[in-house]
């Protein structure tokens, strides 16, 4: 497995693969890989001749008071896992080679990135779309695989690809959970045992919301969200948001909405966790 540290090395590799007619699948990550990431690599492996995993804790998607410095990192373990899962190359640059000190060009999606995490983390999605656009220009992938745990990120990236005509097919991979129901996340590493046990409430309230919304439709949303908030607070979670939006527009649901995205961000201790579920209210 190859390891590239600079954009130029990766782009030369990607161009050579493209010229020899090989297809490429990219799995963008920030490292500290867990079973969720590995499932993305497995999907990529089935799709294309060449699999590239990027491991880059992207500074421009973190706010000034967020966890950039303490974000967990373990390159040795990550690269071993990538190799075991059949990756052909890992791209692991330092921030200094990704962003010139006077970098002044950014990619911004302006609608789907407004609510939910976009409202609470100003600049976050601009950082994500900018780095993903750069990764697409470097890895030249035919496919790129993203997890549905970051449902809003997935929608924003799909919109960017459509609006800017990137020749990439975005593949949405199912959210992977621990046996307890807790959604896998690199940030779970911050949780104490007690916080981890309490955080199981998140998947429990999402599971309970689904049948209630299928049964009650969009009129049931206020009561369902209220019940979710109550249970989360009872378990000691500090709510950032608990919302239900139209799953394709990320706007407040209307009678026309076919699918709802029920999404939440909740702190346990200092750790902010996100989770979501999709609900088909109309068939
Ligand atoms: O989902 C992530 O890990 C990151 O937001 C991504 C897509 C790798 C961009 O830095």
């Amino acid at each position: 497995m190859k390891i590239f540290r600079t954009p130029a090395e990766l782009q030369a590799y990607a161009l050579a693969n493209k010229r020899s007619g090989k297809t490429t699948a990219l799995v963008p990550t920030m490292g500290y890989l867990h079973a969720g990431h590995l499932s993305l690599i497995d999907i990529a492996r089935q799709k294309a001749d060449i699999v590239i995993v990027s491991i880059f804790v992207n500074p421009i998607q973190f706010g000034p008071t967020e966890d950039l410095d303490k974000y967990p990192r373990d390159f040795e373990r990550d690269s071993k896992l990538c190799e075991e899962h059949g990756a052909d190359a890992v791209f692991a640059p330092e921030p200094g080679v990704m962003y010139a000190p006077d970098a002044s060009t950014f990619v911004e999606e302006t609608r789907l990135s407004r609510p939910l995490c976009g409202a609470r983390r100003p600049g976050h999605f601009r950082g994500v779309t900018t780095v993903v656009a750069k990764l697409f220009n470097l890895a030249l992938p035919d496919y790129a695989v993203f997890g549905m745990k970051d449902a809003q990120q997935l929608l924003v990236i799909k919109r960017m690809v459509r609006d800017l005509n990137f020749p990439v097919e975005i593949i949405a991979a199912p959210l992977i959970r621990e046996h307890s129901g807790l959604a896998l996340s690199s940030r779970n590493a911050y949780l104490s045992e007690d916080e981890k046990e309490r955080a199981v409430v998140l998947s429990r309230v999402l599971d309970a919301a689904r049948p209630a919304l299928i049964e009650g439709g969009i009129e049931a949303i206020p009561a369902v969200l209220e019940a979710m908030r109550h249970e989360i607070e009872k378990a000691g979670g500090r709510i950032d948001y608990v919302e239900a939006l139209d799953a394709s527009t990320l706007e407040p649901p209307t009678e026309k909405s076919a699918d709802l995205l029920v999404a939440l961000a909740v702190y346990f201790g200092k750790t902010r966790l996100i989770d979501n579920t999709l609900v088909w209210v109309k068939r």
Side-chain angles (χ1 to χ4, degrees):
M1 188 184 73
K2 296 181 188 315
I3 295 177
F4 300 119
R5 295 284 183 183
T6 67
E9 285 170 322
L10 174 62
Q11 206 172 43
Y13 173 72
L15 276 169
N17 287 329
K18 202 151 240 26
R19 285 183 187 130
S20 61
K22 291 186 178 136
T23 57
T24 295
L26 172 69
V27 182
T29 81
M30 297 206 301
Y32 214 69
L33 304 181
H34 51 63
H37 296 113
L38 301 177
S39 74
L40 309 184
I41 302 174
D42 294 342
I43 291 171
R45 189 60 288 164
Q46 285 165 17
K47 271 316 254 193
D49 302 321
I50 301 288
V51 172
I52 301 174
V53 181
S54 64
I55 297 179
F56 179 56
V57 183
N58 174 35
I60 68 165
Q61 71 186 71
F62 287 78
T65 60
E66 293 182 355
D67 56 343
L68 171 63
D69 291 338
K70 71 169 185 142
Y71 196 85
R73 292 159 168 91
D74 189 343
F75 181 72
E76 289 315 312
R77 184 175 160 275
D78 286 351
S79 55
K80 202 162 157 268
L81 286 168
C82 289
E83 188 153 28
E84 281 168 14
H85 283 259
D88 298 283
V90 164
F91 177 52
E94 288 299 321
V97 296
M98 282 295 273
Y99 299 109
D102 59 350
S104 52
T105 308
F106 298 89
V107 177
E108 190 168 13
E109 191 285 330
T110 58
R111 277 188 98 96
L112 299 168
S113 54
R114 257 191 261 154
L116 306 175
C117 287
R120 276 83 184 176
R121 303 184 65 190
H124 169 68
F125 285 115
R126 186 174 94 142
V128 170
T129 41
T130 300
V131 81
V132 171
K134 283 168 71 75
L135 291 168
F136 287 174
N137 284 334
L138 297 174
L140 308 175
D142 301 279
Y143 307 96
V145 193
F146 294 87
M148 284 167 66
K149 169 160 166 291
D150 297 296
Q152 186 177 16
Q153 168 171 282
L154 182 64
L155 285 171
V156 167
I157 289 168
K158 278 190 171 167
R159 178 65 59 90
M160 173 189 84
V161 162
R162 187 201 71 180
D163 289 351
L164 299 185
N165 305 95
F166 280 101
V168 184
E169 185 186 323
I170 301 300
I171 300 171
L175 193 161
I176 307 284
R177 299 181 179 280
E178 283 189 2
H179 192 61
S180 67
L182 183 67
L184 292 189
S185 162
S186 304
R187 289 189 169 99
N188 291 352
Y190 301 147
L191 296 170
S192 67
E193 275 312 308
D194 173 58
E195 287 165 348
K196 216 170 170 187
E197 272 167 35
R198 287 188 285 122
V200 168
V201 69
L202 303 183
S203 61
R204 198 158 46 74
V205 295
L206 287 166
D207 278 347
R210 213 175 302 117
L213 290 169
I214 292 170
E215 172 94 353
I218 66 168
E219 286 84 58
I221 290 175
V224 168
L225 295 183
E226 196 38 52
M228 290 173 71
R229 291 187 184 111
H230 178 74
E231 288 299 310
I232 292 168
E233 281 170 351
K234 218 167 72 182
R238 186 162 56 82
I239 294 172
D240 196 10
Y241 66 76
V242 176
E243 290 186 39
L245 298 177
D246 181 299
S248 35
T249 61
L250 294 190
E251 291 192 358
T254 67
E255 284 303 334
K256 289 197 186 121
S257 302
D259 307 337
L260 302 181
L261 176 71
V262 185
L264 52 81
V266 173
Y267 287 90
F268 283 88
K270 289 196 174 117
T271 308
R272 183 176 182 275
L273 301 176
I274 59 170
D275 200 345
N276 71 79
T277 190
L278 275 178
V279 184
W280 290 267
V281 278
K282 260 192 210 145
R283 270 275 161 243

